[in-house]
Every structure is written in structure tokens, then in C-alpha cells.
Amino acid sequence: MNQTFDFHRFGLMLKLDLAEKGKNNLGMAALLVVVLLLMMLPVATSSTYNGIFEALHYIALFMILLLGSSLYTSSVFTSYASPSTGMAALMVPASTIEKFLSALFLNLLFIIPFLLFFLELHFLTLNYANENFPPNSHKYDPLPNDLIQYICYSYALIQGSIFLGSIYFTKASYIKSAAADIAIYFILVMFQVTLATNMTGDFDKVVTFPFAGWKLWDFGKDSKFFFVNYPDNFQLLIYIFPALILLSLWFITYLRLKEKEI
């Protein structure tokens, strides 16, 4: 098979992937959208602040991070997991790059709208509820910009790691990939919290995550809060570094798929 990229074959490969996975993906999409609406729309019906309704938005966020990206991505290369389906996948008359880009494009086509849909619904419902609250009443707080930025980082990196795991692990790829992600994330969080604690002194509470600033609380007589962010000249690297990790994960996935093809 010619290993050069051809747009016609790429289009045919997309049609094949849509025929095999499109119906299942649309079914999962419909289910997730319904669940999101059930969890996020009640806040728009409240006439006063309701902590339970606000908590549902954070539960929906957790669901999007775990299911919106990883659930779809974990099944991208399942056809290579068993000898029977793997042989059929290898015999498809398309180059490795066409198979890779088709799988990646179809995956992104479904998972990116989920994140955008959640963010749009989050701000729309909270703003609508706040506008109908009585004056001077406690209002809902939308997600801050730094958290949205971190959510986007996490969403992309989860996709990349599960994308790689779906072709790297032949059995229980989702469980193994998720376990590896959790272990790596836990190590990074512990490292950053330890670093922040050692460098800033004795604070009562320290909260920080990978690729994010440090939030420090002192609950003494004069309660104080500090937010330590990266320097402006270093901030650009914080934006670029997750993107480089994601591209690296995609490239390693391509190499792994190429090995399968060989």
C-alpha cells in the first residue's frame, strides 16, 4: 500500500470510520447531552441561591472531563485489540497517516463540542439565574478564567493520553490508561504542592495543580490569601508546554499505529 497521503483515500477512510462508529458515537452523545441538561438546567429555575444546583454544575464538569473526552477516545483503536478485528483493520487499503488522521479527526469532532457545550450552558444558565435574583442577594459564581484554562489543558491531555493508551495497550486499555493518568497526575500534584510549601513557608492551606499558580491561605488573626502566578515572561511557556505534550502523545500514537501496520 502506498504510504503517501491522499485526500481521496482520506475521505473514504472517514466515511468508513463514520459508518463503523458514527451511530455508536451519536448514541453516546445524545445520552451525555441529556444528562448534562438534566444536571445544569435546574439552576436556571431557581429564584434564590441554591447550593445543590450549583454543585450539579461541578459534577457535570467532572463528568465531562472523565467521559466527554476519555470515553470516546478509549474506543478509537479497539479494532487493533484482537487478532480477528486487527487483521481486518490492517487490510484496509489506506496509508497509516490516513488511518491515524481519520481516527483523530473523528474523535475530536465529537469531544470538542462537548466541552464547548458545557461551558456555554454553564455561563448561560448561571447568568440567566443571576439576572432574575432579587437585588443584593447572593448570586452564583461562574467558573473563573484560570480554572477554565486549566480545564482545557486537562481535557486535551486526557484525550492525548487515552488516545495513546487505546493503541498501546491491547487489553483493558481504558483501565490501564486511566490508572497511568491518575498515577502521573498524583505524582505531579504532590511534587508541586511540596514545592510550593517549601518555597513559600508555613501556610495553613496550599492549593496548586500542574500548569497552574499557587493559592495560599493564612488563617491567623488577620486572615490572608495569596495567589502566586507565573511571571509574565514564563507564562507563554505554560501555554505552549501542554500543547507540546499533546502533540507528542499524538506523534507517539502514530508511531505505535505504524508498528501495528508493519
Side-chain angles (χ1 to χ4, degrees), residues 230-247:
Y230 295 101
D232 293 337
N233 57 355
F234 189 72
Q235 189 65 45
L236 180 61
L237 296 177
I238 300 301
Y239 294 141
I240 295 175
F241 190 58
L244 292 177
I245 295 176
L246 178 62
L247 292 175

Side-chain angles (χ1 to χ4, degrees), residues 169-218:
F169 300 110
T170 56
K171 294 182 179 179
S173 62
Y174 182 69
I175 296 175
K176 292 178 181 178
S177 301
D181 285 352
I182 293 172
I184 293 172
Y185 183 78
F186 179 77
I187 292 171
L188 290 175
V189 169
M190 293 303 298
F191 172 78
Q192 188 149 338
V193 169
T194 303
L195 182 66
T197 302
N198 291 336
M199 293 185 65
T200 57
D202 188 18
F203 278 88
D204 297 309
K205 183 179 179 182
V206 177
V207 175
T208 182
F209 301 99
F211 310 118
W214 302 347
K215 295 182 179 180
L216 312 166
W217 284 266
D218 184 358

Side-chain angles (χ1 to χ4, degrees), residues 77 80-82 86 90 96 166-170 253-262:
F77 293 115
Y80 291 89
S82 65
L90 291 173
T96 306
S166 66
I167 188 70
Y168 188 84
F169 300 110
T170 56
T253 304
Y254 168 71
L255 295 179
R256 183 66 175 174
L257 178 61
K258 196 172 183 180
E259 291 177 1
K260 293 277 188 180
E261 290 288 315
I262 295 174

Side-chain angles (χ1 to χ4, degrees), residues 69-106:
S69 177
S70 63
L71 185 62
Y72 273 110
T73 311
S74 63
S75 61
V76 169
F77 293 115
T78 52
S79 57
Y80 291 89
S82 65
S84 58
T85 58
M87 185 59 67
L90 291 173
M91 293 298 293
V92 173
S95 65
T96 306
I97 187 65
E98 289 159 1
K99 293 178 181 179
F100 171 79
L101 290 179
S102 175
L104 179 61
F105 178 81
L106 186 62

Side-chain angles (χ1 to χ4, degrees), residues 94-159:
S95 65
T96 306
I97 187 65
E98 289 159 1
K99 293 178 181 179
F100 171 79
L101 290 179
S102 175
L104 179 61
F105 178 81
L106 186 62
N107 182 236
L108 296 179
L109 184 66
F110 279 91
I111 69 170
I112 291 178
F114 275 121
L115 181 61
L116 298 178
F117 177 73
F118 167 81
L119 293 174
E120 184 65 25
L121 189 62
H122 171 73
F123 287 108
L124 183 66
T125 53
L126 290 191
N127 289 337
Y128 178 82
N130 288 336
E131 289 174 358
N132 291 280
F133 282 1
N136 301 321
S137 62
H138 182 68
K139 299 183 182 296
Y140 294 111
D141 293 321
L143 296 172
N145 291 333
D146 61 331
L147 181 56
I148 292 175
Q149 175 183 312
Y150 191 74
I151 290 168
C152 294
Y153 289 159
S154 302
Y155 197 75
L157 293 178
I158 289 173
Q159 187 276 339

